[in-house]
């Protein structure tokens, strides 16, 4: 199940947010070795963890966070525009209907196809919910085929470069009903992945 | 003036556009060959990973522009080939020249033979699907642009050519499992072992394994997990 947390309901979920920052520490600091954003030795946080962020969090049957991605408006200074504009050919996309996706991850134990497909489905479902036409981001280049196999339509926006010793590329993912249908076909379910009855302000 | 990075990216985008405009596997073969020629590559080969269910290269090839004579020779040595092995062990694309070629006799013969066919140099791209290595993409030629920028452009071209190939294949595909294969796949999807299924369907375990191997060949996959995913994707079975 997927829980959406933003500034309108973040006060209701201190435990989920704490787990999310700890999980990011385990994945991005411990596993991937990103030391720059380590906080208090147990969290991973950066300047985009603020009121403008939307957290899309994978919750297991015990109610614990097991994965997440973060959406951030591209109209505001964001990671691609501030840190990696050189990875984008031409100008960085900045539109009200395009958000940036960062920190997509699952806990080591949750890394299997079902949980992954559910989080990928959330990209399309939450994107449609927010009225987005696309999301931009950085990915490992060799991750593209799996995302295509899941049903996402994804295009490079620059030539890949080596980061952390691997080929990484800036991309834009189209948000469409068709993508969501393809992903749902692969998941074997058309049911929404989103947790219902959340006290969340309508924003679209 | 466009940067060298910008130029390479534009070449990749143009190639992807040309590739995605093709409507048949034959036309796609030609479009791929032209696209990679920019960087000196003459041949390409898209293959499924070698497995017990599908050992022979001729069963596993998806797109290929290899000369027939080379293909016949290579099929015999494929299992010892460092490039074929690298697809299994590597998590990233690689220049053939970066591989550690062990000096066994069969590989030396292959080295010399590959020289005759202008296939001594190349670039390999492992394609990872939903839960496993799905295919290996190889581009080769005698005189290559092997700069990082050229390799990155080629990597994008290989990934998008493979994606377009799977789209064409899906569009052309007819129901591909026999009723018996379909029934067995349903039990596999329900978590039953070959022994369980043999009891349920009152057949020998050997028959179950053979039928499932045939189903996996029809589904063009190499593991049972992939077979379940592919059978679901093709709507051969449902949850």
């Amino acid at each position: 199940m997927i829980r959406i947390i933003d500034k309108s309901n973040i006060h209701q979920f201190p435990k989920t947010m704490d787990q999310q920052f700890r999980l990011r520490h385990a994945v991005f600091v411990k596993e991937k070795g990103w030391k720059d954003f380590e906080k208090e030795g147990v969290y991973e946080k950066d300047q985009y963890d603020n009121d403008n962020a939307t957290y899309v969090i994978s919750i297991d049957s015990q109610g614990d966070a097991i994965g997440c991605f973060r959406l951030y408006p591209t109209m505001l200074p964001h990671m691609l525009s501030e840190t990696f504009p050189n990875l984008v050919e031409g100008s960085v996309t900045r539109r009200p209907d395009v958000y940036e996706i960062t920190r997509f991850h699952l806990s080591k134990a949750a890394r299997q196809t079902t949980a992954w497909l559910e989080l990928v489905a959330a990209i399309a479902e939450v994107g449609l919910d927010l009225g987005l036409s696309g999301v931009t981001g950085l990915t490992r280049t060799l991750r593209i085929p799996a995302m295509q196999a899941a049903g996402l339509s994804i295009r490079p926006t620059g030539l890949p470069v080596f980061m952390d010793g691997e080929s990484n590329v800036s991309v834009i993912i189209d948000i469409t009903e068709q993508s969501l249908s393809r992903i749902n076909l692969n998941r074997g379910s058309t049911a929404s992945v989103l947790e219902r009855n959340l006290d969340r302000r309508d924003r679209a | 003036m466009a940067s060298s990075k910008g130029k390479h990216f534009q070449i990749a985008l143009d190639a992807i556009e040309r590739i995605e405009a093709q409507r048949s596997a034959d036309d796609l073969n030609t479009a791929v060959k032209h696209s990679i020629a920019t960087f000196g590559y003459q041949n390409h080969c898209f293959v499924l990973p070698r497995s017990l269910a599908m050992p022979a290269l001729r069963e596993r090839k998806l797109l290929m522009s290899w000369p027939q004579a080379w293909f016949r020779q290579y099929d015999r040595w494929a299992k010892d080939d460092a490039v074929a092995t690298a697809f299994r062990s590597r998590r990233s694309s690689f220049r053939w020249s970066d591989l550690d070629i062990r000096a066994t006799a069969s590989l030396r013969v292959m080295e010399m033979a590959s020289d005759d066919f202008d296939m001594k140099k190349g670039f390999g791209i492992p394609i990872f699907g939903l839960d496993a290595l799905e295919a290996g993409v190889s581009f080769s030629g005698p005189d290559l642009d092997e700069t990082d920028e050229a390799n990155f452009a080629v990597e994008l071209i290989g990934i998008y050519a493979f994606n377009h190939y799977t789209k064409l294949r899906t569009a052309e595909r007819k129901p591909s499992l026999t009723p018996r294969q379909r029934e067995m796949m349903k039990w596999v999807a329900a978590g039953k072992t070959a022994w369980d299924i043999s009891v349920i369907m009152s057949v020998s375990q050997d028959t179950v394994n053979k039928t499932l191997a045939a189903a996996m060949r029809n589904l063009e996959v190499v593991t049972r997990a992939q077979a379940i995913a592919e059978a679901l994707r093709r709507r051969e079975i449902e949850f």
Side-chain angles (χ1 to χ4, degrees):
Chain A
M1 187 187 63
I2 303 293
R3 177 173 294 163
I4 305 174
I5 299 181
D6 62 14
K7 69 172 177 215
S8 70
N9 65 352
I10 196 165
H11 58 278
Q12 292 177 48
F13 298 108
K15 183 180 141 211
T16 306
M17 288 305 290
D18 186 78
Q19 287 178 335
Q20 182 263 153
F21 287 122
R22 284 175 190 272
L23 193 53
R24 276 167 50 179
H25 185 268
V27 173
F28 295 105
V29 179
K30 292 281 190 210
E31 248 186 89
K32 294 201 84 167
W34 300 0
K35 299 285 178 221
D36 294 358
F37 310 113
E38 184 168 24
K39 299 275 144 53
E40 302 161 43
V42 288
Y43 298 124
E44 188 269 316
K45 285 185 192 182
D46 69 7
Q47 66 268 43
Y48 305 111
D49 288 303
N50 59 39
D51 278 356
N52 302 302
T54 301
Y55 299 90
V56 180
I57 304 177
S58 184
I59 306 285
D60 71 7
S61 52
Q62 267 77 54
D64 293 322
I66 52 164
C68 174
F69 61 82
R70 182 178 65 182
L71 294 173
Y72 201 84
T74 57
M75 293 298 281
L76 300 172
H78 59 289
M79 195 186 77
L80 275 177
S81 71
E82 303 309 298
T83 315
F84 301 110
N86 58 318
L87 267 73
V88 178
E89 197 55 42
S91 49
V92 173
T93 304
R94 303 189 76 159
R95 296 166 49 132
D97 62 343
V98 174
Y99 278 28
E100 178 178 59
I101 180 170
T102 49
R103 302 296 199 274
F104 185 105
H105 70 279
L106 282 166
S107 77
K108 239 180 186 164
R111 263 169 236 169
Q112 27 75 16
T113 311
T114 321
W116 186 77
L117 273 175
E118 190 176 272
L119 204 50
V120 169
I123 297 176
E125 211 180 322
V126 176
L128 288 169
D129 224 36
L130 293 173
L132 304 183
S133 68
V135 294
T136 53
L138 271 185
T139 179
R140 282 188 296 127
T141 310
L142 289 186
R143 205 66 184 139
I144 291 176
M147 294 193 270
Q148 291 173 324
L152 287 175
S153 161
I154 177 171
R155 289 170 285 138
T157 51
L159 200 65
V161 297
F162 282 121
M163 289 170 66
D164 302 332
E166 289 184 301
S167 174
N168 279 262
V169 65
S170 68
V171 294
I172 184 158
I173 296 171
D174 297 328
I175 301 296
T176 61
E177 292 282 356
Q178 288 87 333
S179 288
L180 182 57
S181 306
R182 284 194 300 264
I183 299 164
N184 281 340
L185 190 60
N186 284 320
R187 285 200 306 129
S189 166
T190 52
S192 167
V193 295
L194 306 183
E195 181 177 35
R196 290 294 146 185
N197 307 318
L198 279 190
D199 176 22
R200 200 160 55 90
R201 217 178 324 146
D202 268 345
R203 285 150 308 154
Chain B
M1 204 183 78
S3 64
S4 156
K5 226 170 79 182
K7 197 188 80 189
H8 282 85
F9 182 55
Q10 195 55 50
I11 293 172
L13 283 188
D14 291 346
I16 291 169
E17 194 181 332
R18 185 162 55 231
I19 281 165
E20 291 184 340
Q22 306 310 318
R23 290 289 162 264
S24 75
D26 280 350
D27 291 345
L28 179 58
N29 242 331
T30 311
V32 169
K33 201 171 160 82
H34 285 156
S35 299
I36 56 175
T38 319
F39 305 103
Y41 295 93
Q42 293 182 349
N43 286 300
H44 59 271
C45 164
F46 292 48
V47 290
L48 297 170
R50 188 186 153 78
S51 68
L52 284 176
M54 258 189 280
L57 186 62
R58 64 181 174 281
E59 290 180 341
R60 296 185 286 119
K61 69 172 177 175
L62 306 174
L63 287 176
M64 189 175 277
S65 69
W66 286 3
Q68 267 304 316
W70 166 246
F71 178 79
R72 278 195 300 273
Q73 293 193 33
Y74 180 81
D75 202 4
R76 268 182 288 150
W77 296 318
K79 69 174 175 13
D80 299 317
D81 180 19
V83 174
T85 311
F87 284 122
R88 301 201 154 284
S89 57
R90 295 249 166 171
R91 301 299 295 177
S92 56
S93 302
F94 54 90
R95 298 182 183 105
W96 291 5
S97 56
D98 291 340
L99 299 177
D100 175 30
I101 309 277
R102 286 167 307 140
T104 63
S106 70
L107 285 171
R108 272 204 302 277
V109 175
M110 195 164 78
E111 278 256 292
M112 288 185 280
S114 68
D115 214 11
D116 292 343
F117 288 97
D118 280 341
M119 308 244 302
K120 202 157 180 169
K121 286 184 172 176
F123 190 66
I125 307 157
I127 304 283
F128 298 100
L130 287 181
D131 46 22
L133 180 69
E134 199 167 329
V137 172
S138 271
F139 297 132
S140 54
D143 186 22
L144 308 178
D145 178 350
E146 292 194 281
T147 57
D148 281 347
E149 290 179 348
N151 285 339
F152 285 136
V154 166
E155 186 174 44
L156 289 178
I157 292 170
I159 287 170
Y160 278 82
F162 177 79
N163 183 52
H164 192 60
Y165 171 80
T166 57
K167 275 191 182 167
L168 288 178
R169 198 179 54 177
T170 309
E172 286 165 4
R173 200 152 49 198
K174 297 180 184 64
S176 46
L177 294 185
T178 65
R180 193 174 160 96
Q181 287 170 356
R182 195 170 305 122
E183 187 179 353
M184 279 190 195
M185 278 307 305
K186 278 184 203 163
W187 289 117
V188 173
K192 302 294 180 195
T193 65
W195 184 84
D196 295 335
I197 299 171
S198 76
V199 174
I200 295 167
M201 293 179 69
S202 308
V203 293
S204 74
Q205 209 171 319
D206 191 44
T207 303
V208 173
N209 284 327
K210 280 183 178 152
T211 310
L212 286 176
M216 281 158 62
R217 270 198 299 277
N218 292 354
L219 293 168
E220 296 174 82
V221 297
V222 293
T223 69
R224 290 198 178 172
Q226 287 173 333
I228 296 168
E230 185 64 25
L232 284 168
R233 250 201 298 281
R234 295 189 189 189
R235 296 175 180 245
E236 290 278 1
I237 59 170
E238 278 169 11
F239 273 124

